[in-house]
Amino acid sequence: MPIRIQNVRIAFPSLAVPQSLGDGEPAYQAKFIIEPNSPQAKQIAEAIQAAAEEQWKDKAKQILKVINEDKKSCYVTSEYRSKKTGEVYAGFEGKHYLSARNAKNQPTIVSKFGKPITDPREIESVIYSGCYVHAMLDIWAQDNKWGRRINCTLKGVMYAKDGDSFGGGGAPASVGDFADLATAEEDSLV
């Protein structure tokens, strides 16, 4: 089920170079922070229901229940927590999240002016963890030898606006940040 979500915060983006999480194959990926009871939350839930009904027909409701209990859905209706510490990641407090990935194709990356961004360094500077984006996604039901899941393929991301950066990212230091530590050139001649 193709969907487009708008004005959501992105976290943990790997949009310029595929990244591997744990033992998984490298993929382009991101998490999208979803406000509970928002239009985006409703849109995602409807797409999941439609994908499940298409795949499992009249068994969709009971299969979705098991998928959610087993945490095998791309959309999680609780906070995103560190597996090591159990602490909620910054920005995910009281929020839901949608995990999207694409192992085959790099998603289309678009500036707020509608221009494609292809340079990896520019992608990483424009789309950062904490900014707001619009995203094109495809939610689908998996039922094969690897099990049953609800997956989300990442098709494209468009920068929308700045947001507070998560986890120490953001803009690099400026020369002025070191001004008080600089040695005068004439002192170095001695």
Side-chain angles (χ1 to χ4, degrees):
M1 299 290 122
I3 64 169
R4 183 177 72 185
I5 56 175
Q6 297 177 264
N7 295 311
V8 296
R9 292 183 85 187
I10 192 170
F12 306 106
S14 298
L15 305 174
V17 177
Q19 301 271 326
S20 168
L21 295 178
D23 295 331
E25 68 177 297
Y28 299 98
Q29 52 201 325
K31 294 198 182 311
F32 300 95
I33 301 171
I34 308 298
E35 191 71 42
N37 303 312
S38 67
Q40 292 88 353
K42 182 179 183 214
Q43 181 183 19
I44 293 164
E46 288 172 355
I48 288 171
Q49 185 65 39
E53 288 173 0
E54 182 179 298
Q55 179 69 38
W56 299 300
K57 312 291 183 241
D58 58 339
K59 294 183 181 183
K61 186 176 179 180
Q62 65 194 50
I63 292 173
L64 273 177
K65 184 175 189 247
V66 172
I67 285 172
N68 289 329
E69 288 170 357
D70 292 345
K71 298 184 181 345
K72 299 210 180 225
S73 176
C74 58
Y75 184 53
V76 179
T77 57
S78 62
E79 300 168 320
Y80 186 50
R81 297 177 176 276
S82 166
K83 289 182 180 174
K84 290 181 181 178
T85 66
E87 292 181 27
V88 177
Y89 282 105
F92 288 84
E93 301 90 348
K95 308 289 192 252
H96 299 172
Y97 65 94
L98 177 67
S99 297
R101 58 190 317 269
N102 195 326
K104 294 180 182 173
N105 301 307
Q106 182 176 20
T108 301
I109 309 299
V110 181
S111 75
K112 69 179 177 180
F113 305 109
K115 304 286 185 204
I117 303 172
T118 57
D119 179 85
R121 289 172 299 194
E122 188 178 358
I123 290 170
E124 290 175 352
S125 68
V126 172
I127 309 285
Y128 59 89
S129 216
C131 76
Y132 288 82
V133 299
H134 312 303
M136 291 298 301
L137 309 161
D138 189 17
I139 294 178
W140 54 281
Q142 169 186 315
D143 192 344
N144 57 25
K145 66 181 180 181
W146 292 283
R148 290 179 171 161
R149 302 181 64 88
I150 296 293
N151 296 315
C152 183
T153 301
L154 180 58
K155 307 291 251 173
V157 176
M158 180 181 191
Y159 173 84
K161 64 182 179 178
D162 284 330
D164 292 333
S165 179
F166 302 136
S174 72
V175 172
D177 291 335
F178 298 102
D180 62 323
L181 301 173
T183 302
E185 285 186 53
E186 56 273 1
D187 293 343
S188 66
L189 299 174
V190 183

